[in-house]
Amino acid sequence: MENNCIFCKIANGDIPSKTLYEDDMFRVIMDINPASKGHSLILPKKHFANIYELDNNTASEALVLAKRMATVMTEALGCDGFNILQNNGETAGQTVFHFHMHLIPRYKNDGVGLNMEGKGEPDYSLDDVQAAILEKM
Ligand code: 5GP
Ligand code: ZN
């Protein structure tokens, strides 16, 4: 547990939260400022600041839990779609530096702004980007 980390305190039950699920590794809570009806967060109980720090077992179990939550929440809320989102670093929109996955139920015309639109033809070479990544794999 990391000092002064609010999600460590929530995940471990030191600060109360609206909990949807809990086991030894995770707590799933409802987001305090929801983007849509049912917006929730998967928090590991162990502190990892972001995906780079996450251990492989927590990473795999988090996705298994996300799948279960998405299935249950879709049935319970009657949403029309579902986004699973995870931010790393301030530039990517991370505001709480304890790894978490957003579970965002989506409803027709809900106006949730997750804009992943392309910007047209890139002004850099895709071959160069591919080569840079492949070199580190
Ligand atoms: P991030 O921007 O880091 O990916 O997401 C942080 C999320 O945590 C935001 O959606 C924000 O509303 C939520 N959040 C921040 N503080 C609290 C809190 O104390 N309790 C709950 N339930 N959610 C929080
Ligand atoms: Zn933490």
Side-chain angles (χ1 to χ4, degrees), residues 5 8 47 98:
C5 172
C8 275
H47 182 86
H98 174 123

Side-chain angles (χ1 to χ4, degrees), residues 29-55:
I29 64 166
M30 299 189 72
D31 197 291
I32 205 169
N33 183 23
S36 72
K37 187 173 71 186
H39 180 183
S40 298
L41 305 169
I42 295 180
L43 313 180
K45 291 190 171 177
K46 217 170 135 190
H47 182 86
F48 307 96
N50 49 44
I51 199 165
Y52 309 113
E53 291 189 0
L54 202 58
D55 67 49

Side-chain angles (χ1 to χ4, degrees), residues 6-7 29-33 41 87 93-96 100 102:
I6 184 146
F7 279 3
I29 64 166
M30 299 189 72
D31 197 291
I32 205 169
N33 183 23
L41 305 169
N87 301 326
Q94 188 176 12
T95 58
V96 180
H100 53 279
H102 292 261

